Amino acid sequence: MSATGDLHVDTFLVSAGRPLPEPGAPVNQPVVLSSTYVADGTVNYARTGNPTWTAFEEALGGLEGGRALVHASGMGAISAALSLVPAQGTVVAPDTTYNGTVQLLEALEQAGGAVRRRHATDTAGFVSDLDGADLVWIESPTNPLMDVMDLRTVLDAARARGVLSVVDNTLPTPLGCRPLSLGADVVVHSATKYIAGHSDVLLGVTVVADDRRGAGIGERLMRHRTLSGAIAGPLEVYLGLRGLRTLALRLERASATAAELAGRLDGHPAVERVRYPGSGAMLSIDVAGDADAAERVCAATHVWVHSTSLGGVESQLERRRRQPSEPETVPDNLIRLSVGIEHVEDLWADLDQALRAAP
Ligand code: PLP
């Protein structure tokens, strides 16, 4: 049985986290705006809990198959997960991941910790680096290179060595991958992206497996959230849950369009390389030409929105190295494409004209 009970995931997305269907009850979990609660209830102060959070956490926990906590942003969730590394501890990680993670790992090194970096597809290297490590960080596909990791092998090896494993599951979403079922200890999400899906909120999630090992981890993550004070606003969480209702529909459309665009871009005269992981709604392209040529492509679109971020209903594109914090392992001429739910022909016509106009 899946963590969503007897329900198909599409149905669970619609029905999870709703109030009990009692006469007169609201159909949606309301936004609860209260910083404190009358004593002796299940919640006592809004930095430790909120009924709107609980609804969202029930939904995410069911989807990933563990216990979820909502955080103020994806970075809030990542910071909480990295707080599990002991002082002067060792982390194994891909050499290219989301740049916020890259920067936090650099900070961990500056504080006396060690980071062993491997190319995401170097599975044997990852496995050998696990000896004596405290935590392995996994992101697959990697953002923005779209490299796919061998999750099963790395997670099995981590578990066998007692190394804590964390998977950033933002790009696949729980519909594309359920890392806890593969043996991961913690999943993190930037729920800002596909989960909320409308580019209107920042939110993060951590999910911990329900096994004995997970119990202690869940408490530590909760403590980190409570004491760091990086908590999500109830309205943002309400919007996150509303966005989640349509995740399956949005992803179905966006993924089909991404596959079609990847095929058409392959062999396009203005494209040197297509980086498409084979599923999902993200791809990257290396433009034929330099950084300026890639910038001209981004500036020449009308339907695609030239903006950072991903996972919204609107298609977005960006030359990633325009972000000063992006690692140098990302080519200067790489454009990341987040495919939305517009009509495929409009997206293609817009991208094609921008690519042809740019050289
Ligand atoms: N993880 C991945 C894979 C991301 O792409 C991002 C943001 O782009 C984050 C984490 C950080 O999330 P947030 O911007 O919600 O803090």
Side-chain angles (χ1 to χ4, degrees), residues 7-45:
L7 299 176
H8 290 90
V9 73
D10 334 38
T11 313
F12 182 80
L13 286 169
V14 174
S15 60
R18 293 197 187 272
L20 289 174
E22 290 161 348
V27 166
N28 294 306
Q29 169 60 48
V31 180
V32 176
L33 294 173
S34 188
S35 61
T36 188
Y37 297 83
V38 176
D40 298 329
T42 49
V43 189
N44 72 359
Y45 189 56

Side-chain angles (χ1 to χ4, degrees), residues 1-4 61-66 151-152 155-156 159 165 167 169 173-187 207-211:
M1 198 164 72
S2 80
T4 55
L63 288 169
E64 290 286 6
L151 249 68
R152 201 175 282 276
L155 289 173
D156 282 354
R159 199 148 262 250
S165 55
V167 179
N169 206 28
T173 84
L175 272 56
C177 180
R178 294 178 67 240
L180 300 183
S181 72
L182 300 175
D185 295 310
V186 182
V187 164
V207 196
V208 176
D210 274 328
D211 55 18

Side-chain angles (χ1 to χ4, degrees), residues 72-76 78 98 101 139 143 168 170-171 188-193 202-204 309-310 320 336:
S73 63
M75 286 309 294
I78 292 170
Y98 168 60
T101 309
E139 187 181 288
N143 180 5
D168 185 334
T170 301
L171 262 59
V188 300
H189 281 282
S190 168
T192 309
K193 312 297 195 277
L202 261 76
L203 281 177
S309 200
L310 59 103
R320 284 302 291 169
R336 188 182 67 191

Side-chain angles (χ1 to χ4, degrees), residues 2 21 63 79 91 106 131 159 182 189 220 247 326 339:
S2 80
L63 288 169
S79 300
V91 177
E106 285 167 3
D131 285 326
R159 199 148 262 250
L182 300 175
H189 281 282
R220 287 167 68 191
L247 178 64
E326 195 70 358
V339 179

Side-chain angles (χ1 to χ4, degrees), residues 262-299:
R264 293 190 194 184
L265 286 164
D266 199 17
H268 191 288
V271 176
E272 219 166 60
R273 177 171 173 184
V274 179
R275 301 168 187 265
Y276 172 60
S279 62
M282 298 285 307
L283 63 152
S284 295
I285 52 175
D286 298 3
V287 168
D290 56 9
D292 288 343
E295 285 293 342
R296 285 196 293 274
V297 174
C298 295

